[in-house]
Amino acid sequence: MTTATPAPLRIGVIGLDHWYAAIPFARRVAAEPGVRLRALVDRDPDRVAHVAGLTGCERTSTDPAFILDDAEIDAIACFTSVDRNPDLVVAAARAGKHIVSVKPLATNLADADRVVEEVERAGVVFVPSESRHTSPLARRLSGLVDSGRLGELRAGTFAMHSTLPAAWPGAGEPGWWADPARTAGGAWIDHAVYQIDRITALFRSPVAGITGTTANLVHRELPLEDYGHAVLTLESGAVVTVEDTWITPAGASSTRAHIVGSRGAVFHSTATESLGVAEEGGAWTVETLPPDPSDTLDALLAAVNDGVAPGSTVRTARQTLATCLAFYDAARGAR
């Protein structure tokens, strides 16, 4: 007996504001045999024409309704600025379409709660962009935790230092990323959402408290921070720090993490392209850093075609946003 191959999932991309995620996602959908890139939408006709040329997608528009009202589209990937995301994903859920969402899912918890309510009412799949659970690096880290080789996780340090984002490839200014009306924060939340999602997956303990600081160390004219450093205390008693910035010189961006348990530790760094593991009584063993690409398309397909629940859901995304907003509240209160 043979198993029927599922029909290709038909996907529409709404918004190219977060082009760092939108363009690779659209190109991968256009290249994968199990999916179809049915349509592209962006407010800027030049941007949508550019991505259409990269992907071969012939159906384009500047109106989101072009995708939301299309009964032949099964799922949307929304990569607009964060302020526009809640209304669009709510409309998609009401239309019965599965969702890949920009990160974070909203600028405030009231809008995030609207998204949670409509997604759960519709019963559609929701994959947040900050979620990475099946990449080679994610599997390596979770495998170490699951094996017990690290013991009880007690501390962690997560950091990403990057340059100021560009509004579009080649643009000399950050655009919406530095507009307080269009996003929930600046440099810190830009990448902290990824790290908090991973901390949740690895430490498996809710955040009990958070504090920290923000600053403008290089881009003093920005209305949002270019530096943030948070200290999270988890209910397990573990303490984790998250530092994210837009302050590095061109070419000096890097991501690193160091997790310490009662029996061992693991670190990884993009600067050295290495991952090291140390176990009780032993020296560090260093290997090549496994890749950590976005796996939102894989998670979407696994959920829709095989019923495999995504590693992070709409409720995970809501909690990640709540943690980020609590950090900003704490940082303001510390001034």
Side-chain angles (χ1 to χ4, degrees):
M1 181 177 178
T2 59
T3 303
T5 302
L9 191 71
R10 300 162 297 184
I11 299 176
V13 173
I14 300 178
L16 302 171
D17 293 323
H18 198 296
W19 62 269
Y20 295 95
I23 294 176
F25 183 91
R27 297 186 78 163
R28 186 175 171 205
V29 171
E32 289 281 336
V35 287
R36 296 288 184 271
L37 182 59
R38 180 163 172 82
L40 291 167
V41 163
D42 188 71
R43 290 177 294 181
D44 186 328
D46 292 334
R47 297 198 313 190
V48 80
H50 174 76
V51 179
L54 295 175
T55 60
C57 183
E58 297 179 353
R59 302 182 70 251
T60 66
S61 176
T62 58
D63 184 0
F66 185 71
I67 284 175
L68 294 170
D69 295 342
D70 187 343
E72 295 189 11
I73 289 180
D74 307 303
I76 72 150
C78 190
F79 296 112
T80 62
S81 57
V82 177
D83 59 306
R84 298 184 66 220
N85 189 60
D87 286 344
L88 291 168
V89 298
V90 162
R94 289 175 177 171
K97 301 185 190 304
H98 305 296
I99 297 161
V100 172
S101 168
V102 75
K103 52 83 180 176
L105 78 167
T107 63
N108 59 74
L109 292 183
D111 280 341
D113 288 338
R114 283 200 299 126
V115 173
V116 171
E117 181 180 359
E118 295 296 341
V119 165
E120 293 186 342
R121 176 182 291 135
V124 296
V125 174
F126 183 99
V127 181
S129 285
E130 64 264 29
S131 168
R132 291 182 184 176
H133 291 265
T134 63
S135 73
L137 176 59
R139 290 186 183 277
R140 182 76 173 103
L141 294 174
S142 63
L144 287 167
V145 173
D146 292 340
S147 71
R149 291 171 61 186
L150 304 182
E152 179 186 355
L153 300 189
R154 292 177 171 169
T157 300
F158 294 77
M160 180 170 183
H161 297 284
S162 68
T163 56
L164 197 66
W168 190 249
E173 47 82 28
W176 72 272
W177 268 283
D179 184 345
R182 303 182 71 185
T183 184
W188 187 80
I189 197 172
D190 190 22
H191 294 108
V193 287
Y194 297 111
Q195 296 154 339
I196 291 170
D197 187 87
R198 181 153 288 169
I199 290 165
T200 300
L202 295 176
F203 282 76
R204 298 165 194 173
S205 177
V207 176
I210 187 166
T211 188
T213 189
T214 61
N216 287 83
L217 301 181
V218 174
H219 306 285
R220 301 185 188 279
E221 76 288 355
L222 286 183
L224 295 169
E225 83 285 351
D226 66 9
Y227 176 92
H229 189 111
V231 180
L232 292 72
T233 302
L234 309 186
E235 289 186 4
S236 66
V239 177
V240 185
T241 68
V242 176
E243 182 181 62
D244 291 289
T245 81
W246 288 338
I247 67 173
T248 64
S253 297
S254 66
T255 301
R256 69 180 186 276
H258 190 172
I259 301 168
V260 180
S262 57
R263 295 181 181 175
V266 57
F267 79 84
H268 62 81
S269 170
T270 59
T272 58
E273 290 295 324
S274 61
L275 180 146
V277 180
E279 296 181 71
E280 194 171 23
W284 285 98
T285 301
V286 180
E287 62 194 66
T288 300
L289 178 68
D292 192 29
S294 172
D295 62 355
T296 51
L297 181 59
D298 303 290
L300 178 67
L301 290 173
V304 173
N305 294 337
D306 304 317
V308 178
S312 294
T313 66
V314 68
R315 285 193 175 269
T316 314
R318 193 266 184 203
Q319 186 54 50
T320 295
L321 175 62
T323 299
C324 291
L325 295 179
F327 161 72
Y328 284 118
D329 286 343
R332 282 189 290 268
R335 291 174 185 165

